[in-house]
Amino acid sequence: MKKNTKLLLKDSLLCTIFSFITIFLLSLLFLNISFFNPLKKAVKDFSFLDVYYSESLGETTKISPKIIIINIEQKDRFQIAQLLQNLIKSNPKVIGLDIIFKEKKEVFSDSILASALNSDKVVQSYLIENKKIINNDPIFHNNKSKGYINLNFDSKTNVIREFIGIKKIDNKIYNSFSTEITKKFLEDKWEEFKYDKRLTKNKSIKYQGQLNSFLTFGFDEFELLDNKSIVKDKIVLLGYLGTPTGNIYDIEDKHFTPLNKEVAGKSIPDMNGIIVHANIINMLINNDFMFQVSDFWIGIFSFLFSFICIMYFIWLDKKNMVSFMSIKKLVLFIFTVVLMWFSLWLFKKGIVLKTTIIIATTLLSCAFIPYYKYLIKKIQTKIKWKSFFQ
């Protein structure tokens, strides 16, 4: 009995290693053939955890009390300058401007806008494209506070699930738009939260919600307010929210996010860039991060589950049961459902466990058992090899 157990453990381990090597070689083939590019992109864009948001499993009616968003609509530079002047008078803590003024236009409006941008409350923005900085015209560089508005540096996926707050390019450090705003808002707490170190790595975005999760104003709606003190000590974000505000069919500066109601085959981007920034900022100012299980542990779990399933199926196969295939399919189905449910439960608790790789490798590994069995039998015709299959 002990001998059989040792052989079972040995064959299970060798079969798992054999399966992982085969999967690795097949994945290299898959990644390097252009024919599979559309499929690769579709797989990359899909995450089962998106169900948590898209099916409103994490729906909340809370409105972030510290962030106010104003829609800049199609307003000209003079109107934006006037809005900035009125905002500065109302004494917000930070004003973030998600718009780039790449070129000079009218001298009068440009000079007024440049003067308004000179406030130390204002955080300007720029883009990083292929290590090149797309910035405001030098006339508007009156303050030093600015951040990149790139939401995604991964060209292989369109869905914004993660962000990087501090990026290093050619030994130079760049802060994101959300990072700069948060740094101004938190002041001394910035060091307490150790963000200079923590934000250099990709972080999963903990979404507060869509447009209705933040206090928003149309441009004219805010300008017509008699009392603008509502923005006092708040973060005010100026960006595009569609025309009219919240128009789902206006896709200018819109992105795919996990909150999209279409989990697969997304057709219309669902969230304006400034709302994504607001979600990131809300997460940062509250120090409310998702804990992400590392790739190392995902690899360990994949190997462990594959080993356990292979050992069970090798043992079951030895019994020569007529219902072996039915039992195998049922066990793998239950394993998949339970693990997916468990990952959603963890996500609700703030832990991101990407189970797609674990499930895929376990299912594929179990599919390679007959090939391993055939290989062992071939080896046994050449040399003396003890195996549980004897």
Side-chain angles (χ1 to χ4, degrees), residues 30 56 114 128 143 158 250 287 345 365 373:
F30 178 78
S56 302
I128 302 175
N143 69 356
N158 292 322
D250 186 344
N287 192 24
W345 181 80
S365 295
K373 185 177 179 181

Side-chain angles (χ1 to χ4, degrees), residues 211-238:
L211 191 69
N212 57 0
S213 294
F214 300 93
L215 184 58
T216 59
F217 292 93
F219 191 97
D220 295 328
E221 182 186 9
F222 182 81
E223 287 289 69
L224 291 171
L225 284 178
D226 293 328
N227 184 5
K228 295 182 173 63
S229 62
I230 190 174
V231 303
K232 181 176 171 59
D233 296 326
K234 300 287 197 306
I235 294 172
V236 181
L237 302 177
L238 308 184

Side-chain angles (χ1 to χ4, degrees), residues 16-238:
T16 306
I17 294 170
F18 167 77
S19 300
F20 268 60
I21 292 172
T22 307
I23 292 169
F24 174 72
L25 294 174
L26 289 174
S27 66
L28 289 180
L29 186 66
F30 178 78
L31 292 171
N32 290 291
I33 296 179
S34 58
F35 174 79
F36 292 112
N37 284 343
L39 182 59
K40 284 185 287 184
K41 190 169 182 63
V43 171
K44 186 77 173 177
D45 274 344
F46 176 78
S47 172
F48 173 73
L49 293 175
D50 291 353
V51 172
Y52 179 81
Y53 289 118
S54 64
E55 298 300 325
S56 302
L57 298 177
E59 191 171 16
T60 176
T61 56
K62 288 196 306 180
I63 294 179
S64 178
K66 300 173 183 177
I67 301 171
I68 294 173
I69 306 172
I70 301 174
N71 187 7
I72 59 172
E73 300 170 11
Q74 305 292 343
K75 302 301 182 180
D76 60 34
R77 293 183 179 187
F78 179 72
Q79 291 170 305
I80 292 172
Q82 285 186 310
L83 174 63
L84 281 170
Q85 289 171 345
N86 291 332
L87 280 170
I88 291 166
K89 289 176 186 175
S90 302
N91 201 29
K93 192 74 175 283
V94 191
I95 302 170
L97 190 59
D98 182 15
I99 183 172
I100 299 173
F101 307 103
K102 290 190 287 186
E103 301 169 348
K104 296 177 184 177
K105 288 188 175 179
E106 297 177 0
V107 175
F108 175 70
S109 60
D110 282 354
S111 61
I112 294 177
L113 179 60
S115 176
L117 290 171
N118 193 39
S119 170
D120 59 2
K121 293 180 179 294
V122 176
V123 175
Q124 298 185 48
S125 53
Y126 61 90
L127 272 169
I128 302 175
E129 289 188 0
N130 299 320
K131 297 185 179 181
K132 182 182 177 183
I133 304 299
I134 299 175
N135 219 330
N136 285 340
D137 186 90
I139 190 176
F140 302 113
H141 289 177
N142 297 327
N143 69 356
K144 295 180 180 179
S145 189
K146 59 182 179 179
Y148 60 79
I149 51 177
N150 301 67
L151 291 168
N152 189 11
F153 289 98
D154 183 1
S155 60
K156 295 178 182 178
T157 179
N158 292 322
V159 184
I160 311 300
R161 298 187 185 95
E162 299 178 341
F163 84 104
I164 183 164
I166 300 174
K167 191 167 181 66
K168 189 174 183 180
I169 302 175
D170 296 332
N171 294 319
K172 190 172 181 181
I173 302 297
Y174 297 89
N175 285 351
S176 75
F177 182 66
S178 302
T179 298
E180 279 293 316
I181 290 169
T182 305
K183 195 171 186 177
K184 274 183 169 292
F185 184 79
L186 290 179
E187 296 180 334
D188 294 340
K189 279 190 176 181
W190 177 267
E191 294 295 334
E192 181 184 328
F193 292 156
K194 299 179 181 179
Y195 279 161
D196 281 325
K197 182 178 180 180
R198 293 169 67 189
L199 297 183
T200 56
K201 298 178 181 178
N202 279 335
K203 299 290 182 182
S204 293
I205 302 172
K206 189 171 186 177
Y207 279 97
Q208 167 82 6
Q210 280 280 9
L211 191 69
N212 57 0
S213 294
F214 300 93
L215 184 58
T216 59
F217 292 93
F219 191 97
D220 295 328
E221 182 186 9
F222 182 81
E223 287 289 69
L224 291 171
L225 284 178
D226 293 328
N227 184 5
K228 295 182 173 63
S229 62
I230 190 174
V231 303
K232 181 176 171 59
D233 296 326
K234 300 287 197 306
I235 294 172
V236 181
L237 302 177
L238 308 184

Side-chain angles (χ1 to χ4, degrees), residues 46-50 293-295 297-299 301-302 305 335-347 351-363:
F46 176 78
S47 172
F48 173 73
L49 293 175
D50 291 353
V293 179
S294 68
D295 291 341
W297 283 108
I298 289 174
F301 292 144
S302 298
F305 282 122
F335 164 76
T336 302
V337 171
V338 169
L339 196 57
M340 290 169 75
W341 173 84
F342 183 63
S343 69
L344 282 175
W345 181 80
L346 287 176
F347 197 79
I351 301 171
V352 182
L353 174 64
K354 297 177 181 178
T355 55
T356 306
I357 294 176
I358 298 173
I359 292 170
T361 51
T362 302
L363 297 183

Side-chain angles (χ1 to χ4, degrees), residues 293-310:
V293 179
S294 68
D295 291 341
F296 171 79
W297 283 108
I298 289 174
I300 294 294
F301 292 144
S302 298
F303 191 89
L304 183 62
F305 282 122
S306 296
F307 173 75
I308 293 171
C309 287
I310 284 173

